[in-house]
Amino acid sequence: MAMLDRSEWYDLARSTNWSPRYVGESELFPEALADPYRLPEAAWAAYDEPYKVAYREYVQVQREKDAGVYSVKAALGRSKFYDQAGPEWMGILKLHYGAIPLTEYAACALQGQNARFGRAGSMRNMATFGMLDEMRHSQLQLYFPHELLSRDRQFDWAHEAHHTKNWLIIGGRHCFDDVMMTRDAVTNSIMTSLIFETAFTNLQMVGLAADAENVGDFTFANLITSVQSDEARHAQLGMPLVDMMTRHGKKAEAQRAVDISFWRLWRVFAVLTGIPMDYYIPLEKRHMSFKEFMHEWVIKQFDRQLTDLSLERPWYWQHFLDDIEVHHHIQQGGVWSYRPTMWWNPVAGVGPEERAWLDQKYPGWNASFGHYWDTIIDSLLAGREDLTQQKVFPPICNVCQIPIANRPGPPWKARAHQLDFEGRRYHFCTPVCQWIFECEPERYKRHESLVDMLVFGRFNPPTPDTVLKYMGIGVVSEGGRDSNGYQWIETYRGRHGHGPKGHVSPLADCALTPKGNKRLWVLSRFQGDGHVKTVEIDLDFSMDEFARYCAQFSIGHHAKDQPGKTLRVRRTTAKDDAAPFPREMRFGACEPRQMDSFDVYFADLSDRDREP
Amino acid sequence: MAGKRDDERKNSVGPVLRAGEMADAVMQALEEDNPGKEFVVQDHVAYLRIETEGECIVRRETIERALGRPFKMPELEVNLTSFSGRIETTEDHMRFYLEKRL
């Protein structure tokens, strides 16, 4: 029987709008869920999806895709790859499977919303396929790690992670709830289809596949590129909407949706993709650096697309380019230092050859991040593993939910950007996250980060163990440990500027403890440390005691001592120019408020008595 | 910064394909369907990035000839992981293009 060509019936098949008789148009498509921009009906009627597919074609193609994915898995199932794969690669798989499958499942709900509330029949049609795509992605990416569960309980996080309150998972969930789950069909299509699926998923699903092939995990490479082939289609949902908005006087609103979601997704993907690419993949198997992948997929391909859509680069573009040099490097340090809170075994990835590579790809790495890791190496060589695990938490950004950190060592860029709003103090990693908050404070103001909860007294008792259990560590599986049991430090013993027995400063140990009831949570911004730290102090401490108390959380952990100098305390200011407090002054006398930020820094002894 | 266009923002368009038989066929078809156009192919192990200036088209019939077997245009999706530029899809061709030239 002769079949009509698709083009002969496609318009009829996608025209599913009708005139409602029992309810009004605004009840059928409430603005908050459908279109708060009130784009004209004529514009919606002209919505034309660039990537067309009919249901019959969809089923045939998806069947072929699945057959490909499962047959590669079956064919390679008998190989010994996973018996021989190093702990570094297994770490990447655990990170990926913990973070991704249930995010894909959440995206089903997003596409479901668009399939119901998209105002054009053609948009609803594409979203229906998108919904089926995301279901495929979550099922595939739950099925594949399930096979690995018998090897390692940590693979259970593929199913469990999103049901826990692990801080990394909260960070991801907060971002995806924001860009996918809690917006109208127009905005979430721009934020998710255009920004997330066009700019960022390529990094994890295509870029990482190049590394996977080099490592020899063809099953995984085949899986993730197959997933991305769905994204390439349904990601096209957002483009016609941007065109409609720019044509109908809503360009500024479209630009804002782009600016918010681009930054939020960048902050998450730098951790998810940047850390594995630049630290976990064995050096000889690395295809490109994370920065080079960013240049290929985002700075070149995606940026050009923005221009074609008559949109501008986000206003913070230079800040974003700077962040590519820093963000995932300091978070790599944080992930490794807080390894008991992770669901995989973090890789340090900083042997001498790796460091040479990092410094070549990211000029200046050794002069800043090198100091950070040299401190850790000295402590490990001295047998002080305890110093390489964090005893206190960093403040967490109230937008991106990522620990507030920045370039360590002599540049010393870490600082919290703070805002007092309706009686509560909020903390931000950068002016960009603060801008996002200030765009829509009602959206973000009620959420409490894990550290807010600690400071607000929500944990009882307020001990690290309580927090770990809250995160699901020890419940789903044990937390992370160094991926190769610290063998990597032996390369450094007696070489590369390290003595045979390492080094630990006396400042790393402190006998002081907060006593009595006059306590306060403050931020310690310690010179050279890449992480700001949240510390509960005693208001009766002298400034010298405050400095020594804070030093124990940075010296030997992430910052080096500077023998011959003395520690001073000053308030954190934008220009780092506040005068130090007198050393004998009682800390409480400076009238600190909860979560005020203080610098602890090294000064020449001759400065010791300089008054403010 | 906005408005300043550097060298990286050329008018490159084209498919990103999973490496394999289909990518080879598409490359062959692109050469045939876009006479006189120069294509740059970057081999990234798992994927091939094929780019040309401004616009290119790939036709079902040409791919069919290159593969030596019947081929329906939507099948290309199995191997099309991404693309630069905008896309136009019909039963007979796929076109990659930009609306604005720099």
Side-chain angles (χ1 to χ4, degrees):
Chain A
M1 191 176 72
M3 302 270 285
L4 288 174
D5 280 348
R6 183 181 73 191
S7 54
E8 293 176 87
W9 52 263
Y10 192 83
D11 279 343
L12 182 64
R14 67 177 174 168
S15 301
T16 53
N17 275 352
W18 70 99
S19 302
R21 292 196 349 234
Y22 304 112
V23 293
E25 192 77 15
S26 62
E27 288 173 278
L28 191 58
F29 292 106
E31 280 183 12
L33 286 163
D35 173 18
Y37 309 107
R38 301 181 187 181
L39 293 165
E41 282 198 28
W44 278 109
Y47 179 103
D48 188 28
E49 66 280 23
Y51 202 140
K52 294 182 172 57
V53 63
Y55 186 69
R56 177 189 289 269
E57 294 164 347
Y58 178 82
V59 173
Q60 283 171 348
V61 168
Q62 297 304 96
R63 187 167 177 276
E64 194 183 328
K65 286 183 189 176
D66 267 4
V69 170
Y70 285 111
S71 63
V72 170
K73 181 177 186 294
L76 295 177
R78 290 177 169 277
S79 80
K80 301 277 186 224
F81 176 78
Y82 292 113
D83 294 334
Q84 293 150 7
E88 298 83 3
W89 184 250
M90 295 310 261
I92 291 177
L93 293 182
K94 289 173 193 170
L95 171 54
H96 175 93
Y97 285 128
I100 302 291
L102 291 203
T103 305
E104 306 266 21
Y105 189 64
C108 286
L110 154 96
Q111 296 290 2
Q113 184 190 348
N114 295 345
R116 166 64 183 80
F117 293 104
R119 298 219 49 190
S122 43
M123 178 179 167
R124 296 198 297 273
N125 202 32
M126 296 315 291
T128 305
F129 296 133
M131 186 167 62
L132 296 171
D133 290 339
E134 302 296 1
M135 212 172 287
R136 170 177 181 254
H137 302 171
S138 38
Q139 292 187 346
L140 280 171
Q141 292 175 94
L142 285 173
Y143 179 65
F144 279 54
H146 187 72
E147 185 192 44
L148 301 171
L149 189 53
S150 58
R151 296 169 184 272
D152 192 330
R153 181 73 192 271
Q154 286 179 328
F155 278 103
D156 206 14
W157 285 81
H159 256 116
E160 300 287 350
H162 278 251
H163 301 294
T164 72
K165 290 160 182 161
N166 180 277
W167 56 343
L168 255 74
I169 292 296
I170 292 174
R173 209 159 48 207
H174 190 284
C175 169
F176 296 116
D177 279 0
D178 192 7
V179 305
M180 299 199 313
M181 311 297 285
T182 55
R183 306 263 180 183
D184 59 277
V186 176
T187 311
N188 75 27
S189 293
I190 295 174
M191 290 186 163
T192 303
S193 299
L194 182 68
I195 305 298
F196 180 21
E197 295 170 339
T198 313
F200 289 103
T201 52
N202 282 315
L203 294 169
Q204 180 76 7
M205 298 305 202
V206 188
L208 190 60
D211 286 331
E213 290 241 354
N214 281 338
V215 169
D217 194 346
F218 303 110
T219 309
F220 185 69
N222 187 48
L223 166 68
I224 58 180
T225 51
S226 179
V227 164
Q228 190 62 19
S229 71
D230 293 356
E231 306 274 335
R233 170 177 30 76
H234 71 235
Q236 298 306 306
L237 218 112
M239 276 226 230
L241 294 170
V242 174
D243 279 335
M244 283 160 65
M245 288 180 78
T246 48
R247 270 202 296 274
H248 294 280
K250 300 292 177 190
K251 182 177 167 180
E253 288 83 349
Q255 183 75 48
R256 196 174 87 156
V258 167
D259 290 3
I260 290 172
S261 53
F262 185 88
W263 182 257
R264 294 225 55 180
L265 290 156
W266 151 249
R267 294 290 290 176
V268 169
F269 270 82
V271 174
L272 178 68
T273 318
I275 290 175
M277 280 181 173
D278 283 349
Y279 291 89
Y280 287 21
I281 305 281
L283 192 56
E284 68 281 7
K285 306 287 187 191
R286 282 178 205 167
H287 180 61
M288 296 200 293
S289 69
F290 174 62
K291 182 164 88 177
E292 288 160 341
F293 277 114
M294 281 296 295
H295 272 264
E296 180 191 355
W297 290 101
V298 178
I299 297 174
K300 190 175 170 212
Q301 179 177 321
F302 177 70
D303 184 29
R304 182 63 186 82
Q305 203 168 21
L306 281 183
T307 310
D308 216 51
L309 287 164
S310 302
L311 292 175
E312 306 295 332
R313 289 170 166 171
W315 62 267
Y316 47 76
W317 193 256
Q318 187 57 48
H319 200 109
F320 159 67
L321 294 179
D322 294 343
D323 215 33
I324 295 177
E325 306 285 337
V326 178
H327 173 38
H328 70 295
H329 295 301
I330 190 61
Q331 299 304 336
Q332 152 69 0
V335 163
W336 190 85
S337 295
Y338 288 92
R339 54 199 176 282
T341 68
M342 306 299 156
W343 63 84
W344 69 96
N345 299 327
V347 180
V350 287
E353 288 170 14
E354 282 86 356
R355 284 171 61 153
W357 182 88
L358 284 162
D359 201 58
Q360 182 210 340
K361 300 291 183 186
Y362 300 88
W365 189 97
N366 260 320
S368 58
F369 297 99
H371 281 250
Y372 179 104
W373 286 99
D374 280 335
T375 310
I376 288 170
I377 291 163
D378 272 335
S379 294
L380 285 172
L381 289 173
R384 292 293 304 272
E385 181 195 4
D386 63 304
L387 291 178
T388 70
Q389 304 202 26
Q390 288 302 292
K391 298 183 182 73
V392 290
F393 285 96
I396 294 175
C397 176
N398 282 117
V399 170
C400 72
Q401 308 296 323
I402 293 174
I404 293 175
N406 209 317
R407 199 180 270 281
W412 191 29
K413 300 279 191 188
R415 71 173 63 242
H417 300 258
Q418 297 183 314
L419 172 74
D420 290 320
F421 180 80
E422 295 182 353
R424 181 175 152 191
R425 177 161 288 177
Y426 294 87
H427 315 277
F428 306 102
C429 60
T430 51
V432 188
C433 274
Q434 182 167 347
W435 170 78
I436 292 173
F437 183 92
E438 288 175 317
C439 283
E440 296 171 282
E442 289 299 315
R443 167 174 283 269
Y444 303 109
K445 70 180 187 183
R446 285 175 196 83
H447 185 269
E448 292 178 5
S449 75
L450 210 104
V451 171
D452 290 328
M453 291 176 67
L454 188 70
V455 170
F456 298 159
R458 310 270 192 259
F459 291 116
N460 188 23
T463 59
D465 280 349
T466 314
V467 181
L468 282 180
K469 199 170 176 190
Y470 179 84
M471 287 189 190
I473 297 296
V475 180
V476 180
S477 81
E478 293 307 305
R481 51 191 189 279
D482 180 67
S483 68
N484 85 345
Y486 308 118
Q487 288 170 39
W488 59 275
I489 63 158
E490 293 307 322
T491 346
Y492 285 99
R493 198 176 288 283
R495 298 165 59 198
H496 306 288
H498 297 275
K501 290 181 180 172
H503 168 74
V504 174
S505 155
L507 286 174
D509 295 294
C510 174
L512 288 163
T513 48
K515 292 171 188 146
N517 294 324
K518 285 184 278 182
R519 298 190 195 181
L520 190 74
W521 288 95
V522 296
L523 298 183
S524 158
R525 179 175 177 260
F526 197 93
Q527 185 173 3
D529 197 336
H531 307 277
V532 181
K533 278 154 186 162
T534 315
V535 183
E536 191 181 32
I537 49 90
D538 190 326
L539 290 172
D540 283 334
F541 280 163
S542 69
M543 288 294 171
D544 266 2
E545 287 173 326
F546 175 82
R548 283 215 319 277
Y549 187 72
C550 292
Q552 67 178 319
F553 304 118
S554 289
I555 296 288
H557 295 269
H558 300 139
K560 291 181 183 183
D561 193 1
Q562 296 187 22
K565 296 198 172 190
T566 189
L567 286 173
R568 301 300 302 260
V569 179
R570 69 182 177 209
R571 280 191 179 270
T572 303
T573 54
K575 291 184 179 170
D576 295 344
D577 57 357
F581 293 112
R583 297 175 57 190
E584 302 309 322
M585 178 177 160
R586 182 176 159 270
F587 183 77
C590 78
E591 298 182 354
R593 289 181 49 214
Q594 179 139 294
M595 298 297 267
D596 275 355
S597 179
F598 293 89
D599 297 350
V600 183
Y601 67 104
F602 292 98
D604 291 332
L605 283 169
S606 57
D607 290 347
R608 58 181 297 167
D609 296 319
R610 192 155 64 92
E611 295 298 323
Chain B
M1 280 307 291
K4 190 183 171 198
R5 307 305 187 205
D6 55 39
D7 287 346
E8 285 191 306
R9 313 194 75 200
K10 288 183 298 188
N11 301 307
S12 297
V13 297
V16 177
L17 294 153
R18 304 163 90 195
E21 179 204 27
M22 186 59 74
D24 297 340
V26 170
M27 189 56 239
Q28 197 180 321
L30 279 168
E31 300 266 8
E32 204 173 313
D33 288 335
N34 302 274
K37 290 221 109 168
E38 199 175 310
F39 288 89
V40 178
V41 182
Q42 295 168 39
D43 184 348
H44 291 286
V45 198
Y47 64 98
L48 294 181
R49 179 181 284 279
I50 305 173
E51 283 181 333
T52 191
E53 176 75 8
E55 180 180 1
C56 63
I57 193 165
V58 59
R59 296 182 195 282
R60 185 189 64 77
E61 286 178 350
T62 329
I63 296 178
E64 204 162 68
R65 270 204 308 281
L67 284 171
R69 63 170 171 83
F71 175 77
K72 288 180 179 170
M73 210 61 224
E75 285 176 50
L76 188 57
E77 189 190 302
V78 174
N79 291 290
L80 184 70
T81 53
S82 182
F83 51 84
S84 316
R86 298 188 186 225
I87 195 168
E88 176 187 288
T89 57
T90 74
E91 288 158 295
D92 298 317
H93 72 257
M94 257 188 204
R95 185 167 76 97
F96 304 95
Y97 67 104
L98 289 165
E99 293 202 339
K100 291 187 178 147
R101 299 293 173 90
L102 300 180

